[in-house]
Amino acid sequence: MRLTAICVYLLGILRFSDGEFRFASYYGDHMVLQKAPERAVLWGFGPDDAKVTIYLSGQAAAPAVSVFAGIWRVTLVPVQAGGPYNVTAVFQNQSITLTDVLFGDVWLCGGQSNMAFTTSQVFNASEEMALASEFPHVRIFMASLEQSHTELIDLAGLEVPWSVPTGELLGGGDFKHYSAVCWMFGRLLYKTLRYPIGLVESCWGGTPVEAWSSPRALRNCGLDRTNKLPMSSITSMISAGWTNSVLWNAMIYPLLNMTLKGAIWYQGESNTEYNQKKYSCTFPSMIDDWRMAFHQSSGGQTAVDFPFGFVQLSTYIKSSVYDGFPNVRWHQTADYGFAPNLRMKNTFMAVAMDLGDEMSPYGSIHPRDKQDVAYRLSLGARAVAYGEKSLAFQGPFPNSVLVNDNHINVTYDQRVSVTQSQDIFEIFCLMVKAPGDSLSSWVPAPILQWGLSSVLVSTTKCSSRDNVAGLRYAWRDWPCDLKACPVYSADGVLPAPPFTQPLARH
Ligand SMILES: *[C@@H]1O[C@H](CO)[C@@H](O)[C@H](O)[C@H]1NC(C)=O
Ligand SMILES: *[C@@H]1O[C@H](CO)[C@@H](O)[C@H](O)[C@H]1NC(C)=O
Ligand SMILES: *[C@@H]1O[C@H](CO)[C@@H](O)[C@H](O)[C@H]1NC(C)=O
Ligand SMILES: *[C@@H]1O[C@H](CO)[C@@H](O)[C@H](O)[C@H]1NC(C)=O
Ligand SMILES: *[C@@H]1O[C@H](CO)[C@@H](O)[C@H](O)[C@H]1NC(C)=O
């Protein structure tokens, strides 16, 4: 078993290492390396026993290292944000140079088609693509779409090598390059931070979380490496069968040595019909595993709890009564309803259920408003990853729910802005007050009135107060029209995320 692992590992190196002196595939001109206080890791291939030294615009930037088993690896001194630098690796009389390298924060962008959704596909696409020239210090990179049954040492290919952004690169074809959410997140961060941002896109449409998870992460949730996604997924128009871990192997594992600041993620649609109930385990487990693996492989440079932002699922079918979307939205938060939470520390969430786009030419599962998605993510990053303490980044969430005679008083953790709705809140009623119908079910709980931070909902559709056993909000595939859900933060910017909770009987 152990011997097999070693053989597979050596075969992996042979596949990429030909004794030629070079950097690993994802180091390139125009790249961004992680700035101080973290130290960037650089690695590559070369003939055994050679001594490699790295220079940063002429200055030695780390002690010389030896090539071992065809691979060299250097951890640079900490470098403040800025640049450009030339990064030169020298051994004997050979040298290889990366030019126009900046130091800043490096973010990984992962997920399925809503992350792959390109800048040319969004609303106001031409304005967005024209912005590229204003952000020469936001650099973009994208791994090509590859699968593997074993962990790859290096990427098998690049879709976009490190580049200064241009309209052509941002609009390189539908679902091709470059990710709108990733790009807009990067340019919004740049506007606040004013130093270089490196974006690493590694995502693939129609993929379940299991494909991006290591066998180790899956085992935590009782899954083994052989599970396969059936072809009949709802997203089959953009999905094939997926074997567990194949994208972890080919599109994440090779990146582990790169020092990162954080990651953002937009995925979950494929899991509405595949291992849906496990998602509250598989998603947090993948985050933990990525964190551990990036931390270890970078020699401790990438934080062991690096910030991880994600987009809560948007919408799919307006009239749908299927609960796959609300369930996965909930499971994306490990069933807490908000992020960060006790299970998912140092995470942040962009709510998107109010950004539905029924007329999207790319299918209603692909809403075109990615500006608001990226903006909400950027607020989460500023608060959680960059410590802007007073910045609001979460919509209202209830901190108490009191059942009274004819109503429930839902008190939120912040001031709210509310519009009337007859059915966005629902109560679970053990005995419904309707002729001939005493079955327990969810029934609408109309909003009666609201205060600065509370909402009163009616319980009169239930036969008695004692029979009110649960309360939920926005629990459907398509809860509201564009930016018109009934509960937002007081300034109307951040939607209250959906929740469901049991109520104690009285
Ligand atoms: C990097 O190298 C190029 C080509 O050798 C040179 O023109 C440029 O001035 C160098 N830049 C820096 C910052 O050293
Ligand atoms: C480097 O040196 C070796 C011998 O020591 C020689 O064969 C080779 O041509 C040299 N390469 C360059 C790029 O000068
Ligand atoms: C990371 O660097 C080490 C060398 O320290 C190398 O053995 C390994 O193959 C590199 N890649 C990954 C994915 O660990
Ligand atoms: C598109 O541009 C219009 C006009 O500037 C603006 O009102 C609208 O909010 C933009 N849409 C998005 C999704 O940003
Ligand atoms: C609802 O509860 C909050 C505090 O929990 C309270 O301030 C508010 O007055 C209550 N509303 C009503 C109508 O009882």
Side-chain angles (χ1 to χ4, degrees):
M1 187 61 211
R2 234 192 134 75
L3 193 62
T4 319
I6 291 167
C7 288
V8 166
Y9 177 75
L10 290 176
L11 279 174
I13 293 178
L14 282 176
R15 174 169 171 185
F16 293 101
S17 174
D18 41 20
E20 191 199 336
F21 182 47
R22 59 191 162 90
F23 286 97
S25 68
Y26 50 85
Y27 295 97
D29 296 346
H30 316 298
M31 80 177 302
V32 176
L33 289 169
Q34 182 59 43
K35 70 167 186 70
E38 289 80 29
R39 300 161 57 163
V41 175
L42 288 164
W43 68 280
F45 304 96
D48 273 353
D49 299 328
K51 285 255 183 244
V52 178
T53 312
I54 297 278
Y55 295 88
L56 214 53
S57 296
Q59 303 273 313
V65 295
S66 297
V67 180
F68 177 73
I71 290 180
W72 54 269
R73 171 198 168 107
V74 172
T75 307
L76 295 190
V77 294
V79 180
Q80 297 303 320
Y85 291 95
N86 286 338
V87 177
T88 305
V90 176
F91 108 91
Q92 294 170 1
N93 59 353
Q94 296 188 42
S95 79
I96 41 179
T97 297
L98 311 175
T99 61
D100 185 31
V101 173
L102 305 177
F103 283 77
D105 281 342
V106 180
W107 283 83
L108 176 66
C109 304
Q112 60 177 114
S113 55
N114 272 308
M115 184 59 88
F117 197 85
T118 61
T119 308
S120 49
Q121 296 178 276
V122 301
F123 284 126
N124 301 345
S126 43
E127 285 96 311
E128 191 57 48
M129 290 190 291
L131 285 178
S133 61
E134 292 176 29
F135 295 93
H137 287 179
V138 177
R139 302 285 171 83
I140 59 175
F141 171 92
M142 183 179 177
S144 52
L145 279 52
E146 302 283 348
Q147 315 180 39
S148 170
H149 288 282
T150 55
E151 291 173 339
L152 299 187
I153 302 289
D154 198 359
L155 293 174
L158 313 185
E159 172 72 23
V160 180
W162 280 104
S163 303
V164 177
T166 62
E168 291 70 41
L169 284 174
L170 295 180
D174 294 351
F175 299 106
K176 207 162 158 53
H177 57 80
Y178 193 82
S179 161
V181 170
C182 190
W183 155 251
M184 292 176 191
F185 175 78
R187 73 155 168 76
L188 288 167
L189 279 189
Y190 180 81
K191 277 197 142 170
T192 321
L193 301 169
R194 313 302 308 182
Y195 60 69
I197 300 291
L199 300 171
V200 176
E201 177 181 352
S202 185
C203 62
W204 194 330
T207 53
V209 71
E210 291 80 357
W212 297 102
S213 303
S214 74
R216 197 172 46 226
L218 294 171
R219 269 195 305 275
N220 280 339
C221 303
L223 294 170
D224 66 35
R225 58 167 71 228
T226 60
N227 297 67
K228 209 172 156 76
L229 177 69
M231 296 290 284
S232 66
S233 158
I234 51 161
T235 45
S236 54
M237 54 176 173
I238 43 164
S239 168
W242 289 99
T243 304
N244 290 348
S245 305
V246 290
L247 303 175
W248 155 263
N249 289 339
M251 295 176 70
I252 299 298
Y253 184 85
L255 299 173
L256 293 179
N257 283 359
M258 179 176 2
T259 312
L260 294 180
K261 171 70 180 181
I264 56 171
W265 174 259
Y266 194 162
Q267 189 277 336
E269 297 89 341
S270 282
N271 288 98
T272 59
E273 288 200 342
Y274 178 61
N275 285 341
Q276 184 208 97
K277 289 197 172 66
K278 292 215 179 253
Y279 202 80
S280 55
C281 182
T282 48
F283 181 45
S285 172
M286 183 201 79
I287 296 173
D288 289 348
D289 188 70
W290 280 24
R291 282 173 168 170
M292 186 271 292
F294 274 100
H295 178 69
Q296 282 185 355
S297 299
S298 64
Q301 295 309 315
T302 297
V304 68
D305 60 347
F306 68 75
F308 193 105
F310 62 94
V311 183
Q312 195 178 39
L313 290 191
S314 185
T315 45
Y316 183 27
I317 296 173
K318 206 164 206 168
S319 58
S320 175
V321 291
Y322 176 58
D323 60 4
F325 270 61
N327 287 342
V328 169
R329 286 186 194 119
W330 187 244
H331 294 336
Q332 285 180 292
T333 66
D335 301 353
Y336 280 80
F338 53 87
N341 59 55
L342 280 176
R343 173 70 186 87
M344 301 170 74
K345 297 195 174 128
N346 226 21
T347 60
F348 50 95
M349 173 171 85
V351 175
M353 66 171 179
D354 65 334
L355 301 176
D357 178 14
E358 204 176 10
M359 295 301 136
S360 171
Y362 312 104
S364 59
I365 202 165
H366 298 126
R368 284 167 289 175
D369 179 355
K370 296 291 192 256
Q371 284 88 339
D372 283 289
V373 169
Y375 177 65
R376 291 170 187 179
L377 273 177
S378 75
L379 294 179
R382 286 167 56 187
V384 172
Y386 295 101
E388 274 189 56
K389 289 278 181 289
S390 58
L391 185 75
F393 70 103
Q394 291 166 300
F397 202 80
N399 47 24
S400 87
V401 171
L402 282 176
V403 184
N404 293 313
D405 276 343
N406 294 315
H407 65 259
I408 296 175
N409 183 346
V410 185
T411 306
Y412 284 93
D413 57 3
Q414 58 184 272
R415 292 194 167 187
V416 289
S417 130
V418 180
T419 48
Q420 184 51 257
S421 165
Q422 295 300 314
D423 60 1
I424 193 90
F425 285 95
E426 293 169 289
I427 46 176
F428 191 74
C429 181
L430 296 173
M431 202 177 284
V432 177
K433 195 198 286 178
D437 183 8
S438 64
L439 292 179
S440 57
S441 69
W442 288 100
V443 292
I447 294 177
L448 294 171
Q449 60 180 78
W450 55 87
L452 283 177
S453 59
S454 63
V455 176
L456 290 194
V457 301
S458 167
T459 56
T460 55
K461 288 203 163 63
C462 195
S463 60
S464 79
R465 166 182 174 167
D466 285 351
N467 282 325
V468 178
L471 175 72
R472 67 188 188 182
Y473 172 77
W475 206 264
R476 67 190 69 141
D477 180 323
W478 202 295
C480 55
D481 288 336
L482 184 65
K483 295 196 187 176
C485 275
V487 185
Y488 282 85
S489 54
D491 61 6
V493 172
L494 294 165
F499 68 82
T500 184
Q501 71 171 73
L503 296 174
R505 297 193 63 181
H506 298 270

